[in-house]
């Protein structure tokens, strides 16, 4: 099995979703969170948005981020560090509904969010009563 073909298919799947995994509705929230200069505040804001996602999105996102985190454990062999994976996957996971110049200008912020999720996967996806406000939709 060609791992590059599998990875390409996975990226394509997420890119072709009508509504991305991180949803159009939360796009501005994620981007605003990425702009927060204080690290702790930024991480808590991103976590609260993740936990507000619809339950199916949350579950798939958690599985994907745990997988990508596992891939980074072998970065000395595969050269796939969290920053590389974030750059590759952020385009499909977090995007504007209208594909315009502003989305290109925000790729660094999109990547920053996904990289944080990959690096801090255990913390982002732990269940916290104060944060767990996912809808059952």
């Amino acid at each position: 099995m060609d791992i590059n073909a599998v990875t390409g298919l996975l990226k394509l799947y997420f890119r072709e979703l009508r509504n991305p995994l991180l949803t159009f509705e939360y796009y501005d929230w994620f981007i605003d969170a990425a702009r927060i200069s204080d690290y702790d505040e930024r991480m808590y804001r991103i976590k609260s948005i993740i936990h507000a996602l619809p339950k199916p999105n949350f579950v798939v996102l958690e599985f994907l981020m745990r997988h990508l985190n596992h891939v980074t454990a072998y970065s000395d062999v595969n050269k796939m560090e969290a920053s590389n994976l974030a750059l590759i996957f952020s385009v499909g996971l977090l995007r504007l509904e209208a594909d315009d110049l502003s989305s290109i200008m925000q790729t660094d912020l999109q990547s920053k969010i996904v990289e944080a999720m990959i690096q801090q996967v255990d913390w982002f996806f732990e269940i916290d009563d104060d944060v767990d406000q996912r809808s059952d939709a």
Side-chain angles (χ1 to χ4, degrees):
M1 183 179 304
D2 180 6
I3 193 66
N4 294 319
V6 174
T7 303
L9 183 61
L10 188 61
K11 291 184 323 189
L12 179 63
Y13 171 78
F14 286 115
R15 195 172 45 245
E16 294 296 319
L17 288 174
R18 277 187 236 157
N19 194 358
L21 194 59
L22 299 178
T23 79
F24 295 132
E25 296 79 14
Y26 291 106
Y27 180 86
D28 289 333
W29 294 16
F30 278 113
I31 296 302
D32 289 344
R35 288 187 173 121
I36 296 171
S37 59
D38 180 74
Y39 177 82
D40 290 339
E41 185 180 345
R42 181 173 61 250
M43 294 299 110
Y44 276 104
R45 181 76 54 86
I46 293 170
K47 184 176 183 176
S48 70
I49 301 165
I50 290 170
H51 283 260
L53 289 168
K55 188 171 185 173
N57 296 54
F58 179 90
V59 170
V60 171
L61 181 65
E62 179 179 13
F63 188 84
L64 178 63
M65 291 301 120
R66 289 192 184 283
H67 171 69
L68 295 178
N69 179 271
H70 182 74
V71 170
T72 66
Y74 300 94
S75 64
D76 57 327
V77 175
N78 62 28
K79 309 299 184 225
M80 287 289 117
E81 296 177 353
S83 59
N84 296 343
L85 292 167
L87 192 59
I88 292 167
F89 280 91
S90 62
V91 175
L93 299 176
L94 184 62
R95 65 180 189 274
L96 283 169
E97 195 162 6
D99 201 13
D100 60 11
L101 185 59
S102 64
S103 64
I104 293 169
M105 294 172 55
Q106 295 174 341
T107 55
D108 61 326
L109 296 172
Q110 296 164 351
S111 185
K112 184 178 188 179
I113 293 163
V114 174
E115 182 177 359
M117 288 183 205
I118 295 168
Q119 291 174 330
Q120 303 296 331
V121 68
D122 289 333
W123 181 78
F124 276 120
F125 293 96
E126 70 184 1
I127 301 302
D128 180 353
D129 291 335
D130 295 335
V131 174
D132 189 20
Q133 19 178 318
R134 289 181 312 233
S135 67
D136 290 328

